Amino acid sequence: MNIFEKIIAREIPATIVYEDGDTLAFMDIGPIIKGHTLVIPKTCYDPVTETPDEVLAKLMLVCKRIAAAQIKGLGADGSNIIQNNGSAAGQVVPHIHFHVIPRFEGDGHRWNWNAKKYDSPAEMEKLAAKIREGLAG
Ligand code: 5GP
C-alpha cells in the first residue's frame, strides 16, 4: 500500500477537506504555501497516461472546487495546480494526485521556471513533428 492508500483506508491520519465516493482531498504535510491541498482518486492509478479519462475529469472538477474554496475560504488571489509524473518530474508518491496550491500576492514563492531557448525554429518544428507523430500513433 502506498502512503495515500493508507490515508484512504484511515490507517494513517490526514486532514481531509473534501471527500466523495471516488475522491479525497486533504492537506499536504509539506505545503509549498500554507493551504496546499492534494486531490487523489480513491482507486490508485499512476501515472497520468494510465489513468482513465473519466477519473481525470472528476479529479480536475474537484481541483476546481478546491481552488475556488481556497479563494473564498483562505482569501487566496490565485492558485497553481500541479501534477507530477515519474521521478524525473519529481514525483514521490506513486498514486496520481494533483497539488492545488493557493497563491497570495506577495507570498514570496518563486518557481524555478528556468525557461530555455530552442537552437532554431527548425529544432522546435522537429520536436513538434515527433509529438504530432505520438498523437497520431
Ligand atoms: P509528489 O512529489 O509525489 O508529486 O508529491 C507528493 C506529496 O505528498 C508531497 O507534496 C508531500 O509533502 C505529500 N505527502 C507525502 N507523504 C504525506 C503524508 O503522509 N501525508 C500528507 N498529508 N501528505 C504527504
Side-chain angles (χ1 to χ4, degrees):
M1 254 195 204
N2 66 57
I3 195 97
F4 290 172
E5 287 174 306
K6 289 182 180 168
I7 287 173
I8 292 161
R10 304 305 200 264
E11 287 183 16
I12 63 168
T15 303
I16 293 168
V17 296
Y18 173 83
E19 180 169 18
D20 64 31
D22 312 310
T23 314
L24 197 63
F26 55 96
M27 305 298 269
D28 192 306
I29 44 164
I32 296 294
I33 298 288
K34 291 175 183 176
H36 181 163
T37 304
L38 297 173
V39 177
I40 67 170
K42 287 186 173 176
T43 301
C44 180
Y45 299 102
D46 188 63
V48 69
T49 46
E50 299 297 326
T51 304
D53 291 356
E54 62 278 12
V55 173
L56 281 173
K58 177 80 189 283
L59 288 171
M60 187 47 74
L61 291 175
V62 175
C63 287
K64 177 184 174 184
R65 289 185 66 188
I66 297 295
Q70 290 173 342
I71 292 168
K72 194 173 168 193
L74 299 179
D77 299 304
S79 59
N80 293 114
I81 298 178
I82 295 173
Q83 195 272 314
N84 301 322
N85 295 286
S87 56
Q91 183 184 10
V92 175
V93 181
H95 182 127
I96 190 167
H97 52 282
F98 285 82
H99 299 257
V100 186
I101 303 169
R103 299 304 305 272
F104 301 86
E105 296 296 345
D107 63 26
H109 180 73
R110 294 279 174 273
W111 298 106
N112 183 22
W113 196 273
N114 189 8
K116 314 290 189 304
K117 283 190 162 66
Y118 288 101
D119 293 340
S120 62
E123 185 194 22
M124 184 197 274
E125 177 51 42
K126 199 172 158 187
L127 292 169
K130 288 179 187 290
I131 295 171
R132 286 185 208 112
E133 270 175 41
L135 283 167

